[in-house]
Amino acid sequence: MNIHILSDIQQTAADVLIVPVFEFEAATSDGLKAFDEAVSGALSDVLGTDEMHGTAGDLVFLHSAGTLAAKRLLLVGVGEESAFSTRRMRQRVGQAARVAARKGVTSLAVAMRGNLPADAAASAIVEGVMLGLFDPAIYRKKDENAKQVESLTICVNAEAVEAAERGASQGRILAEGTNFSRTLSVEPSNKITPTTLAENAQRMCEANGLSISVLGPEEMRAKGMGALLGVGQGSDEPPRLIVMHYKPENPTSDKRLAFVGKGITFDTGGICIKGRENMWEMKYDMSGGAAVVGAMQAISQLKPGVEVFGVVAAAENMPSGKSYKPGDVLHSYDGQTIEVIDTDAEGRLVLSDAIAYARQDLQATHIVDLATLTGAVMIALGTERAGLMGTDRDLIAAVQAAGDIAGERYWELPLDPDYREQIKSDIADIKNLGGRFAGSITAGYFLREFAHDTPFVHLDIAGTAWLEDEAAEMAKGASGFGVRTIAHVALNMAAQA
Ligand code: BES
Ligand code: MN
Ligand code: ZN
């Protein structure tokens, strides 16, 4: 997509010019007056009618663009001005872009409105458009005549041009990383296996100057990664540990960040097999890993001054004569023995070896993992927020702050030592299943036992990584949740060092 920043709204030529409107805003307001005059009062006619109160999600096309170079205006309600945010901007611009795209337009413009910092607002606009226009139907025949949005112009005040340019290029990088991650997640498990996930990561790293190493079963056996191997052993597809590395040219921080992703390319449950209902969706059980791959792409382009590792524990969880079974004891890389109570609690197993690897081999000073770990987190938080657990207040705050910038919301769950009782094993150091209650927390507690004293945050994205239904601002399917949060964690950590 071609992206331009312009400070002359009159001269902005586009098929559709998207204009955010605040709730109960008058056409005579400072921000709207010029538009209303350009369209000879057409704005006054529609504002305040039931079609357009400026309530979040209201949409109206104005076909007479008057003296404007744009062909049509698309007014989009963004809610109360006092509650306006980059998140709202991203969502409503995404919604408007999707509606406009369905009409076959090829060029879009967005008028930047509100008192947001121009760089953050421009980033949100680009993200909204690019995330909104992402089409997950990657295996559907393309209609040769279908038109695509090819250009986006953002109109800003003259003094904001430079900041908006900076923000727009950041937004493009973040959106591309997010959409790359979404593609990996919607890809089915006959296309994305641990091997091809690693190949995708390899191609991305080569294209972006990152180094990468990929461990297969032999290397894992040599190192003693019994947990990752155990989960992978039931499948004909061999597991992979994917290790990507970004090293800044001009470091501003001596921290070593590790992002660790769950990369279960299909989760049947293994011997504790799942029911048939919605099992197909378990192709997205590698979304944490996909988020890490997408974020590493973005980080390689944003170039923060901090060292970042991206680690993906990739395996396929299958039932077979070779599968690991309930009751088995696995010898993890960390040295702890793990009693397997349920083969469907496989995510924490593969992650335990990846976290230990980040700590021991990569000497990470901070570890953040992303995983579609538990159905329980969907019961607790639904699809609105991801679960967050951690051992270090500063790192927790850093992730929360990054999530606020990214427009991705988290809710902290406690990791009190009392929860450790539930994962005490009668035969081994730890077991992979707690009781009926607090399922997301006992899963998180399991992981923290492998991070030891290294500051650690766990993000359970089971509810947020996949949209069952289409949202106004986004297609159904993979959301790419977490990519932008962790990219901002890296940016902020470098900036605050
Ligand atoms: N991948 C699932 C969690 C999941 C469920 C993600 C639904 C997305 C949507 C995970 O491996 C799993 O099977 N979790 C079990 C844990 C249980 C066996 C302790 C669950 O949540 O039921
Ligand atoms: Mn499972
Ligand atoms: Zn799983």
Side-chain angles (χ1 to χ4, degrees):
M1 185 163 335
N2 294 307
I3 301 174
H4 310 278
I5 309 295
L6 226 91
S7 60
D8 188 337
I9 200 88
Q10 293 283 338
Q11 296 305 316
T12 298
D15 291 332
V16 169
L17 168 59
I18 296 167
V19 181
V21 174
F22 297 112
E23 196 161 48
F24 307 128
E25 187 174 8
T28 52
S29 77
D30 280 347
L32 291 182
K33 208 163 48 198
F35 290 105
D36 193 40
E37 283 163 11
V39 298
S40 331
L43 224 66
S44 331
D45 292 344
V46 72
L47 287 198
T49 69
D50 280 345
E51 271 186 81
M52 178 52 67
H53 287 294
T55 306
D58 283 359
L59 281 178
V60 174
F61 276 104
L62 290 182
H63 281 257
S64 140
T67 60
L68 297 173
K71 290 194 192 120
R72 278 176 282 175
L73 296 190
L74 176 51
L75 309 181
V76 58
V78 295
E80 312 133 79
E81 184 163 12
S82 59
F84 193 51
S85 62
T86 51
R87 179 183 158 80
R88 288 238 173 135
M89 177 80 101
R90 192 182 293 105
Q91 284 179 323
R92 302 286 63 94
V93 167
Q95 173 189 6
R98 287 170 64 74
V99 169
R102 275 189 215 117
K103 313 262 182 206
V105 310
T106 60
S107 57
L108 279 180
V110 179
M112 186 187 287
R113 300 209 51 219
N115 288 323
L116 305 170
D119 49 355
S123 186
I125 289 170
V126 174
E127 290 166 42
V129 170
M130 292 182 66
L131 301 179
L133 296 182
F134 175 81
D135 178 6
I138 53 179
Y139 290 105
R140 192 187 288 155
K141 269 197 280 315
K142 287 269 172 292
D143 175 357
E144 298 296 322
N145 302 317
K147 293 196 183 123
Q148 291 231 329
V149 176
E150 277 151 15
S151 78
L152 167 66
T153 306
I154 303 176
C155 294
V156 302
N157 295 330
E159 66 276 13
V161 168
E162 214 176 300
E165 264 161 6
R166 232 179 312 117
S169 71
Q170 178 188 278
R172 177 210 291 274
I173 290 169
L174 291 169
E176 284 173 351
T178 307
N179 285 343
F180 177 34
S181 149
R182 294 166 80 186
T183 303
L184 292 172
S185 289
V186 293
E187 284 275 13
S189 74
N190 62 331
K191 310 278 185 187
I192 290 289
T193 62
T195 304
T196 63
L197 183 59
E199 287 167 0
N200 271 277
Q202 203 132 23
R203 270 197 297 278
M204 182 282 286
C205 286
E206 273 160 26
N208 290 283
L210 297 176
S211 48
I212 177 167
S213 58
V214 179
L215 277 61
E218 262 93 87
E219 290 98 332
M220 291 174 200
R221 258 189 294 276
K223 290 185 87 70
M225 298 185 163
L228 177 51
L229 278 166
V231 171
Q233 77 191 32
S235 170
D236 288 346
E237 296 291 344
R240 293 283 185 263
L241 187 76
I242 305 166
V243 186
M244 298 161 276
H245 183 197
Y246 164 77
K247 203 170 161 58
E249 266 171 41
N250 303 304
T252 57
S253 161
D254 53 8
K255 291 172 180 148
R256 297 162 69 87
L257 257 175
F259 298 128
V260 178
K262 170 177 173 181
I264 298 295
T265 58
F266 197 79
D267 182 13
T268 64
I271 294 299
C272 306
I273 196 162
K274 293 177 181 292
R276 59 162 61 78
E277 208 180 329
N278 290 334
M279 197 206 268
W280 67 273
E281 284 184 352
M282 282 299 111
K283 66 176 182 173
Y284 90 86
D285 212 16
M286 33 59 72
S287 293
V292 170
V293 176
M296 290 306 290
Q297 174 180 298
I299 286 166
S300 73
Q301 298 168 7
L302 295 169
K303 304 191 190 303
V306 63
E307 196 162 359
V308 187
F309 296 92
V311 183
V312 181
E316 188 181 59
N317 189 20
M318 291 286 280
S320 81
K322 293 206 188 69
S323 294
Y324 78 135
K325 302 176 293 298
D328 285 1
V329 173
L330 305 178
H331 294 259
S332 75
Y333 183 43
D334 177 72
Q336 298 182 66
T337 53
I338 306 169
E339 182 185 14
V340 176
I341 300 298
D342 193 316
T343 63
D344 198 11
E346 84 297 339
R348 65 199 74 177
L349 297 173
V350 301
L351 286 168
S352 68
D353 277 354
I355 290 168
Y357 182 87
R359 194 168 46 73
Q360 295 174 14
D361 292 52
L362 306 178
Q363 299 282 307
T365 60
H366 297 77
I367 300 176
V368 178
D369 88 271
L370 299 96
T372 50
L373 206 62
T374 64
V377 85
M378 305 167 81
I379 305 296
L381 301 173
T383 55
E384 309 304 322
R385 287 178 185 256
L388 179 155
M389 289 146 256
T391 58
D392 181 86
R393 290 322 309 171
D394 291 341
L395 187 58
I396 291 169
V399 174
Q400 295 267 29
D404 287 343
I405 297 169
E408 296 173 326
R409 296 183 297 190
Y410 299 89
W411 194 257
E412 188 179 351
L413 301 173
L415 285 182
D416 302 321
D418 313 69
Y419 292 105
R420 178 69 175 80
E421 293 302 311
Q422 285 199 42
I423 47 177
K424 257 188 184 162
S425 166
D426 295 331
I427 190 172
D429 295 321
I430 195 166
K431 63 181 180 182
N432 80 330
L433 190 70
R436 224 158 64 75
F437 300 134
S440 299
I441 295 174
T442 50
Y445 209 101
F446 182 95
L447 296 178
R448 75 160 284 179
E449 292 291 70
F450 293 84
H452 296 274
D453 293 336
T454 305
F456 169 68
V457 164
H458 159 58
L459 303 175
D460 192 335
I461 59 170
T464 50
W466 190 261
L467 279 70
E468 293 276 344
D469 301 302
E470 181 185 353
E473 71 275 16
M474 210 185 246
K476 64 167 139 177
S479 66
F481 192 95
V483 170
R484 287 170 298 116
T485 297
I486 58 177
H488 281 295
V489 168
L491 287 174
N492 290 350
M493 206 165 260
Q496 281 155 20

